[in-house]
């Protein structure tokens, strides 16, 4: 419904019922606000958004109203410029500033501070108050968020965000009157894995990025480019910032279809591996006295020599490398000799997931659709640890019910306090079945803790309860039957249910079960969607590219078929246990590895080539949604570091593969790549290098970028020209198009008068909604509309805890399980120490206490770990942290045995 | 000495003399301007800063010979040469002293006019070839200004020619034995002088290169040697115009005691100083004022002068 | 017409009055203290570095010739880890001084900065930092800022109340 709104005498069409603040901002007016946030909506707490409302044309006196709390109605007359409204707004700021410290020069928020922007907007300049300022003590909130409480203006955004949206419990408001305090009960790291968003949510410098503080640079000094998070399979959009050749921070890049306004802490803070001392900076050649740096040309010609002389070569790609890198490697070694560097089980899982999405008639939702879903079933996947923003989206999904309840009372969805009051404890039905507790448990309608097979059986049972044609689950317990009925009933009710699962449980049966539930709902004609979490940022891309697993590579090596092995951005010692990896590497004569960081695999490489990280190169990743997204170089690679595909191309050309010569730029490579089946959309992920906005490139540096003529002057006073970027439509300079580029190319948010991230308002067609020109990225996977929903034939037998034989399952950790982010000191600090998880009953039975050393044997791999007692872990299950440094790699789930080292054998 | 050798020696003497004069005069101008403005001007390099010009020359020779990538190259290079050639060629007809003249043409005055017309090409081409807006505007101004003022220049001379009865400069000098033409031809002198300033686009009539509007006008894009040619061309032009005024109105080399060459040089230098004095004193008129003044004042005055002179001569002759 | 000649006459007269030029290297002019020359970084009255590395001077500099990196020392004070001015670019506009919220960066009347090598015109913090307060005595940013540093607890700055006790219920 469109309503006509008269603002300062001019008529505008706005959405009826929308709040006036959002409407005015969408129309491009500069109206100050604090407590309103496009993702958290209105509470009317700060009184900053005052405008004047008039009864009719004749009314000249009008009354002050809060625009964020007033719905737009047909024929409404308001004034933003009214002197009284202006004075009111200036008065509010002045009152806020009475206690605001004289901190801007030393405040990390300065230059991108919403409070600064709003103060300038209202015109307040001078503190007239004669009272002394109230002060607060700060808290230590862990490695990610800095706390400087003096600067608080009590807008309540932080607690609303933290408690309502992110589901955190340990941040709250204390005290009363003008003494209110936003913090924790006691000092200590914030518990929520979404705490980093406080930095963006807080309109002042109370919460700031602590990692940035360690190497601070102002927003106007950061060179930024659109990028994509590489720390999980969701592909959240980010804006990393660089200064003096070092990555300084990561900010959110709004993509309404993916991460929206927020990021998780792994994505926000995982970037520091880029600056790590472990970075490879030169090509290294392994000699008798260890690796020594060699010139690039020598490295290239040496490896090319190996390939040229009829050497049989094998390539191992990586699910964490870009499509471009993997494709270049495949082109170099030949499709038949290219293997994605994942274990056979992971390959099976990912291909199963991909098959479900491609062959079933079920669509995979983008995260917005998950946020808007009204019921969810999470099968087997601990999304809060493997795909945190999906967990965040599920929290929004849980709130949909409140909005629905409130709507019945005629309360607009943006009236967030009223929605919360009316909605009380209502939440959308969300069912979670995982081997171990998750941080989403608080929103779950019901929880199941079971072994992966049991979870799969539950899933199949739900499918059966929904659709009588579904296969029968044999030997189902009564309890499971009734649970399945409950779940089925709730899902059947829902208009937009989602089924969430993933590879995290390590069980293809779980994936099949999730597929079966979705298929059953689909057969019932429900608008169901299926979201499957994958292990890594480009798992989907790697699977689309095809290629065998490490098992295939190993058998080739065993056959003695390999002289030279090329490994791309892959640490085999994280994929295979040490013996298997050793066996694989020992079987080849020559080993070449391309990677960013020194690791166990590069240490064994005869030649190790330093390759560019996501922040130094351009490339494409395919997220678990099947969305191909392009990341762009934030800064040029220094020294001899290059994009992997450029190394591979040079080697290929030197070895006589002349077709690689055509790949002058990333675009050329993408052109070739998009001829692959299923990858034709990759080209459209972002505009190509020829793209120009108004004839100009998009500048990576803001127009206020400082120090250009001095930053390199210590080395030479003669300034070099800015590096040229021939790969993309972005430029490594401050010259270029200053307007709004297409979403995939937005390097930062800034608008005149809006220095904070709220400048995003000016990029959106409707504030809070899609950016103009549509979201970034292109979906490569769409279900065939007419495909029949099919069921998997095989249903696993029930899990029986056996005496002496345990099922070891992988427990994922948002901090520590992912390879690259673990190199950020803060992430490493929050990552758990190695442990072996036991259920309390089992622990008691074995006489093992918390922290006691126990010995775990899985197959031939034996390791000693301290025990951790995990309430809720089903009996007979052992939890081993996945991917954690200090824990030996074993393929999970697997049978294992434990022995208490101090006590007797359990 | 054969005639050819004599001519060659004269040519070299004149060239050397004129170029040195022009070069040295840059120093004189800077010192004089400074004097008028209560400054010192260049006074560091050599006695009284005399070597400043030499230093400037060295500097200008050392500069990169730069042709802007957007310019029309051949024309861009040709333009500064043209101005040197035309102004230097005008020198040929000037009689410095009895016998000290390169070519005592019987159409000397006309030759001078012809050469100064050709000089317009240099400026016009420079403005065009530079392919930049300021240069083009400067060039256009120069063309209009120089073409207009040439008319008055030519007309103002005709009185002198009528009185002397010859276009040959030596004859004109001879005709002033009794009375310098500056007395009977005062209006002609005034018009010629003003036109001379405009022809050489010296300030205050330097609109083609008005730096506060056009950066540097037609030579905005020039630097190094090519710029030096323009600069030198301007000074040689100034020398030529001064020499012409001396010849036509102030009795040429005539004067008591001192040798004729010295007289000639003294008179010329004095006139050149007058140019500088003007530059130090007057602001630049607007372009329309300049054109208006030319067509509405100078043209009638010179025509009137011509008519009166003719009438007087007719009456006398009759 | 007459005024033209009058103008000439006036100009001519000026040729005979005393020159205003100061013969510089032999005779040094006395420059006013607010003259915009060589830039320095000053210290606060307590001897601490005044610059808090806020990056405002570098942002305002029209030729972008100031580069610095912020850091925090053990006492909680912000300071520039390096602070570089490329004087071969500086146009001595004084905007940096105007932007500085702490009076740290100041332009001084020192104008004799000629060098034969451009590289020598790059000044690092060691070359810029002086031991005094420069033109502005008295001001110490940390005495008014809310930030806690060693020796100045929360609530101890000018015009501040002692920190709130959140658990206190008194109005
Ligand atoms: S929060 Fe904003 S206004 Fe307050 S000190 Fe920081 S930058 Fe300044
Ligand atoms: S800490 Fe920030 S977000 Fe929270 S109330 Fe204060 S100003 Fe608002
Ligand atoms: S005086 Fe001007 S140009 Fe020089 S450093 Fe300061 S702001 Fe930059
Ligand atoms: S403006 Fe002042 S305090 Fe800020 S960085 Fe520059 S010198 Fe330091
Ligand atoms: S934004 Fe409307 S009251 Fe805070």
């Amino acid at each position: 419904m469109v309503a006509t709104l008269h603002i300062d005498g001019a008529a505008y069409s706005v959405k009826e019922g929308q709040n006036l603040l959002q409407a005015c901002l969408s129309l491009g007016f500069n109206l100050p606000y604090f407590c309103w946030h496009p993702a958290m909506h209105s509470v009317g707490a700060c009184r900053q958004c005052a405008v004047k409302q008039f009864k009719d044309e004749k009314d000249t006196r009008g009354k002050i109203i809060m625009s964020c709390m007033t719905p737009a109605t047909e024929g409404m007359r308001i004034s933003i410029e009214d002197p009284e409204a202006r004075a009111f707004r200036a008065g509010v700021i002045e009152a806020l500033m009475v206690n605001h410290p004289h901190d801007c020069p030393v405040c990390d928020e300065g230059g991108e501070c919403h409070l600064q922007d709003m103060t300038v907007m209202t015109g307040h300049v001078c503190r007239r108050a004669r009272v002394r300022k109230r002060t607060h003590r700060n808290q230590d909130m862990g490695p990610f968020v800095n706390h400087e409480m003096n600067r608080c203006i009590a807008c309540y955004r932080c607690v609303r965000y933290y408690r309502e949206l992110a589901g955190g419990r340990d941040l709250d408001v204390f005290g009363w009157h003008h003494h209110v305090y936003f913090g924790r009960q006691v000092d200590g790291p914030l518990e929520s894995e979404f705490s980093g968003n406080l930095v963006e949510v807080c309109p002042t410098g109370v919460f700031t990025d602590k990692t940035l503080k360690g190497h601070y640079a102002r927003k106007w000094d950061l060179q930024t480019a659109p990028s994509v998070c590489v720390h999980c399979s969701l592909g959240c959009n980010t804006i990393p910032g660089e200064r003096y050749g070092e990555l300084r921070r990561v900010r959110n890049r709004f993509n309404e279809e993916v991460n929206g306004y927020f990021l998780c802490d792994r994505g926000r803070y995982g970037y520091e591996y880029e600056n790590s001392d472990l970075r490879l900076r030169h090509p290294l050649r392994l000699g008798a006295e260890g690796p020594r740096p060699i010139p690039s040309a020598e490295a290239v010609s040496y490896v090319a020599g190996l390939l040229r002389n009829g050497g049989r070569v094998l390539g191992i790609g990586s699910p964490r490398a870009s499509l471009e890198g993997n494709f270049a490697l495949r082109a170099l070694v030949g499709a038949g000799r290219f293997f994605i560097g994942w274990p056979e089980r992971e390959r099976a899982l990912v291909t199963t997931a991909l098959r479900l999405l491609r062959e079933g008639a079920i669509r995979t939702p983008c995260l917005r659709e998950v946020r808007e879903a009204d019921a969810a079933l999470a099968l087997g996947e601990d999304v809060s640890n493997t795909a945190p923003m999906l967990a965040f989206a599920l929290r929004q999904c849980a709130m949909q019910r409140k909005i629905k309840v409130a709507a019945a009372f005629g309360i607009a969805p943006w009236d967030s306090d009223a929605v919360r009051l009316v909605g009380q404890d209502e939440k959308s039905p969300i069912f979670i079945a995982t081997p171990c507790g998750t941080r989403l448990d608080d929103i779950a309608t019901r929880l199941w803790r079971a072994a992966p097979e049991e979870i799969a059986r539950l899933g199949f049972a739900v499918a059966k309860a929904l659709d009588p044609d579904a296969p029968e689950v044999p030997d189902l317990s009564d309890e499971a039957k009734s649970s399945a009925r409950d779940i089925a009933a709730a899902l059947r009710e829902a208009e937009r249910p989602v089924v969430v699962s993933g590879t995290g449980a390590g069980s293809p049966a779980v994936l099949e079960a999730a597929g079966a539930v979705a298929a059953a709902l689909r057969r019932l004609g429900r608008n169901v969607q299926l979201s499957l979490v994958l292990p890594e940022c480009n798992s989907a891309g790697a699977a689309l590219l095809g290629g065998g697993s490490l098992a295939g590579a190993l058998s080739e090596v065993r056959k003695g078929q390999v002289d030279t092995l090329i490994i791309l951005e892959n640490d085999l010692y994280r994929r295979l246990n040490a013996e298997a990896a050793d066996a694989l590497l020992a079987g080849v004569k020559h080993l070449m590895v391309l990677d960013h960081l020194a690791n166990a695999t590069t240490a064994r490489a005869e030649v190790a080539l330093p390759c560019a990280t996501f922040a130094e190169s351009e490339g494409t990743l395919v997220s678990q949604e099947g969305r191909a997204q392009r990341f762009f170089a934030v800064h040029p690679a220094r020294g001899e570091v290059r994009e992997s595909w450029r190394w591979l191309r040079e080697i290929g050309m030197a070895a006589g593969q002349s077709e690689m010569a055509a790949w002058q730029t990333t675009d050329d490579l993408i052109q070739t790549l998009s001829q692959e089946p299923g990858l034709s959309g990759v080209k459209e992920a972002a505009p190509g290098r020829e793209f120009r906005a108004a004839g100009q490139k998009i500048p990576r540096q803001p127009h206020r970028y400082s120090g250009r003529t001095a930053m390199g002057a210590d080395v030479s006073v003669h300034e070099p020209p800015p590096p040229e970027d021939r790969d993309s439509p972005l430029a490594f300079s401050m010259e270029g198009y200053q307007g709004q580029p297409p979403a995939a190319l937005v390097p930062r948010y800034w608008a005149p008068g809006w220095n904070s991230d709220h400048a995003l308002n000016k990029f959106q067609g409707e504030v809070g909604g899609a950016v103009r020109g549509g979201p970034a990225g292109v979906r490569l996977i769409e279900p065939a509309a007419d495909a029949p929903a099919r069921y998997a034939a095989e249903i696993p037998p029930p899990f029986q805890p056996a005496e002496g034989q345990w099922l070891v399952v992988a427990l994922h950790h948002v901090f520590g399980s992912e390879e690259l982010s673990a190199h950020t000191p803060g992430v490493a600090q929050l990552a758990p120490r190695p442990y072996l998880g036991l259920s309390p009953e089992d622990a008691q039975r074995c006489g093992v206490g918390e922290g006691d050393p126990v010995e775990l044997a899985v197959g031939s791999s034996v390791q000693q770990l301290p025990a951790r007692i995990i309430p809720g872990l089903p009996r007979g299950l052992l939890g081993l942290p996945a991917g954690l440094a200090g824990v030996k790699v074993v393929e999970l789930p697997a049978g294992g045995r434990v022995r208490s080292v101090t006590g007797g054998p359990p | 000495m054969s005639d050819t050798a004599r001519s060659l020696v004269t040519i070299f003497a004149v060239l050397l003399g004129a170029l040195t004069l022009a070069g040295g005069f840059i120093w004189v101008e800077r010192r004089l301007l400074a004097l008028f403005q209560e400054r010192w001007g260049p006074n560091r390099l050599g006695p009284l800063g005399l070597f400043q010009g030499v230093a400037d020359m060295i500097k200008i020779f050392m500069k990169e010979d730069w042709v802007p990538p957007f310019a029309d190259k051949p024309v861009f290079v040709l333009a500064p040469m043209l101005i040197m050639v035309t102004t230097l060629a005008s020198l040929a007809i000037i009689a410095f002293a009895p016998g000290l003249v390169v070519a005592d043409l019987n159409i000397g005055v006309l030759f001078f006019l012809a050469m100064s017309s050709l000089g317009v090409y240099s400026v016009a081409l420079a403005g065009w070839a530079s392919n930049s807006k300021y240069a083009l505007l400067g060039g256009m101004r120069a063309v209009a200004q120089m073409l207009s003022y040439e008319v008055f220049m030519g007309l103002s001379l005709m009185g002198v020619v009528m009185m002397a009865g010859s276009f040959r400069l030596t004859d004109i000098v001879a005709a002033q034995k009794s009375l310098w033409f500056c007395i009977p031809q005062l209006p002609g002198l005034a018009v010629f002088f003003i036109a001379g300033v405009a022809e050489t686009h010296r300030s205050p009539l330097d609109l083609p290169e008005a730096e506060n509007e056009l950066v540097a006008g037609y030579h905005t894009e020039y630097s190094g040697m090519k710029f030096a040619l323009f600069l030198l061309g301007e000074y040689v032009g100034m020398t030529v115009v001064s020499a012409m005024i001396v010849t036509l109105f102030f009795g040429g080399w005539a004067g008591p005691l001192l040798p004729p060459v010295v007289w000639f040089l003294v008179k010329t230098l004095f006139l050149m100083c007058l140019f500088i004095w003007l530059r130090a004193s007057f602001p630049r008129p607007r372009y329309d004022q300049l054109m208006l003044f030319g067509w509405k004042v100078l043209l009638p005055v010179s025509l009137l002068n011509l008519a009166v002179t003719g009438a007087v001569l007719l009456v006398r002759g009759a | 017409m007459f005024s033209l000649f009058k103008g000439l006459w006036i100009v001519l007269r000026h040729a005979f009055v005393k020159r205003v030029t100061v013969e510089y290297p032999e005779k040094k002019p006395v420059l006013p203290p607010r003259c915009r020359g060589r830039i320095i970084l000053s210290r606060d009255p307590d001897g601490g570095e005044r610059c808090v590395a806020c990056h405002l001077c570098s942002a305002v500099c029209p030729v972008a010739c100031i580069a610095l990196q912020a850091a925090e020392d053990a006492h909680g004070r912000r300071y520039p880890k390096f602070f570089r001015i490329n004087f071969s670019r500086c146009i001595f506009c004084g905007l940096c001084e105007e932007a500085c919220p702490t009076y740290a960066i100041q332009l001084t009347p020192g104008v004799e900065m000629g060098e034969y090598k451009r590289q020598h015109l790059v000044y690092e913090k060691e070359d810029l930092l002086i031991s005094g307060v420069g033109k502005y005595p008295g001001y110490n940013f940390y005495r008014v800022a809310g930030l806690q540093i060693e020796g100045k607890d929360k609530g101890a700055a000018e015009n501040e109340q002692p920190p709130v006790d959140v658990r206190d219920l008194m109005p």
Side-chain angles (χ1 to χ4, degrees), chain A residues 97 100-101 103-104 107 109-110 113 115-116 151 204-205:
Chain A
M97 283 301 187
H100 203 73
D103 265 3
C104 293
C107 178
E109 193 84 352
C113 175
L115 177 58
Q116 278 180 339
R151 300 173 188 151
T204 73

Side-chain angles (χ1 to χ4, degrees), chain C residues 9-121:
Chain C
W9 172 241
I10 292 174
V11 169
L12 192 62
R13 264 199 351 232
H14 274 280
F16 302 102
V17 299
K18 196 168 159 284
R19 318 283 88 182
V20 292
T21 312
V22 181
E23 302 263 2
Y24 162 61
E26 293 89 25
K27 254 174 63 193
K28 304 236 159 145
V30 182
L31 296 175
R34 284 176 51 182
C35 196
R36 299 197 307 257
R38 192 189 137 146
I39 299 175
I40 54 103
L41 289 174
S42 61
R43 289 177 186 276
D44 61 35
D46 307 325
E49 235 176 272
R50 254 182 182 159
C51 175
V52 297
C54 70
H55 292 85
L56 288 181
C57 51
S58 66
V60 80
C61 179
V63 294
C65 73
I66 305 182
L68 69 152
Q69 172 61 54
E72 200 172 282
D73 69 8
H75 311 301
R77 286 176 71 118
R78 290 278 190 123
Y79 73 102
K81 193 145 74 182
F82 70 80
F83 194 109
R84 185 180 309 130
I85 301 183
N86 179 355
F87 278 111
S88 76
R89 286 289 189 184
C90 176
I91 56 171
F92 299 97
C93 61
L95 288 180
C96 47
E97 176 170 347
E98 246 179 76
C100 181
T102 65
Y103 291 142
I105 196 165
Q106 300 177 13
L107 278 78
T108 66
V111 292
E112 290 173 336
M113 300 178 69
E115 294 282 356
Y116 283 103
K117 282 219 176 78
R118 263 181 80 191
Q119 188 63 49
H120 296 164
L121 285 168

Side-chain angles (χ1 to χ4, degrees), chain A residues 108 133 148 244 709 719, chain C residues 64 68 78 86 89 154 161:
Chain A
D108 284 359
K133 297 176 179 177
E148 182 63 44
Y244 303 138
T709 63
E719 292 134 30
Chain C
L68 69 152
R78 290 278 190 123
N86 179 355
R89 286 289 189 184
K154 270 269 135 81
Q161 296 167 8

Side-chain angles (χ1 to χ4, degrees), chain A residues 2-27 29 31 51-54 65 67 70-80:
Chain A
V2 176
T4 309
L5 186 61
H6 301 268
I7 304 175
D8 288 312
Y12 301 90
S13 311
V14 301
K15 232 202 243 165
E16 177 143 31
Q18 193 183 29
N19 69 67
L20 284 177
L21 176 62
Q22 200 169 358
C24 291
L25 291 172
S26 301
L27 289 171
F29 288 98
L31 187 55
V51 294
K52 203 160 213 188
Q53 184 186 5
F54 301 98
I65 54 162
S67 62
T70 316
T73 51
E74 176 59 38
M76 195 168 193
R77 296 178 172 272
I78 59 168
S79 169
I80 298 174

Side-chain angles (χ1 to χ4, degrees), chain B residues 276-317:
Chain B
I276 293 163
W277 191 9
L278 286 184
R279 174 174 174 188
S281 310
F282 296 135
R284 186 185 299 131
R286 249 180 13 234
Y287 194 68
D288 59 328
Q289 290 170 338
L290 175 85
M291 296 312 266
L292 222 65
F293 180 69
W295 291 105
K296 293 209 172 153
V297 179
L298 295 189
L299 184 65
V301 168
S302 47
L303 284 177
L304 208 65
N305 178 39
L306 208 57
V308 172
T309 314
V312 169
L313 284 182
L314 209 61
V315 172
R316 281 241 195 105

Side-chain angles (χ1 to χ4, degrees), chain B residues 141-212:
Chain B
R141 278 187 184 185
V143 171
Q145 170 176 337
M146 290 169 80
L147 285 182
S148 311
Y149 276 75
E150 223 153 66
V151 175
F152 325 132
M153 194 180 220
L155 286 174
S156 64
L157 285 185
M158 287 312 130
V160 173
V161 173
M162 283 160 85
M163 287 182 72
S166 165
F167 280 116
R168 191 193 297 268
L169 292 188
T170 37
D171 292 351
I172 294 176
V173 175
Q176 301 184 54
K177 273 248 173 58
S178 48
L179 182 65
W180 288 357
F181 284 156
C182 58
I183 310 290
Q185 283 296 318
L186 191 63
L189 169 61
V191 173
F192 186 79
F193 186 75
I194 295 172
V197 176
E199 265 314 280
T200 49
H201 31 86
R202 290 278 311 169
S203 97
L205 304 185
D206 58 344
L207 283 99
E209 45 195 284
E211 49 281 285
N212 28 17

Side-chain angles (χ1 to χ4, degrees), chain B residues 34-45:
Chain B
L35 202 66
F36 289 133
Q37 294 164 353
E38 299 178 25
R39 296 183 288 117
W40 284 117
N43 64 347
R44 293 274 152 190
L45 219 56

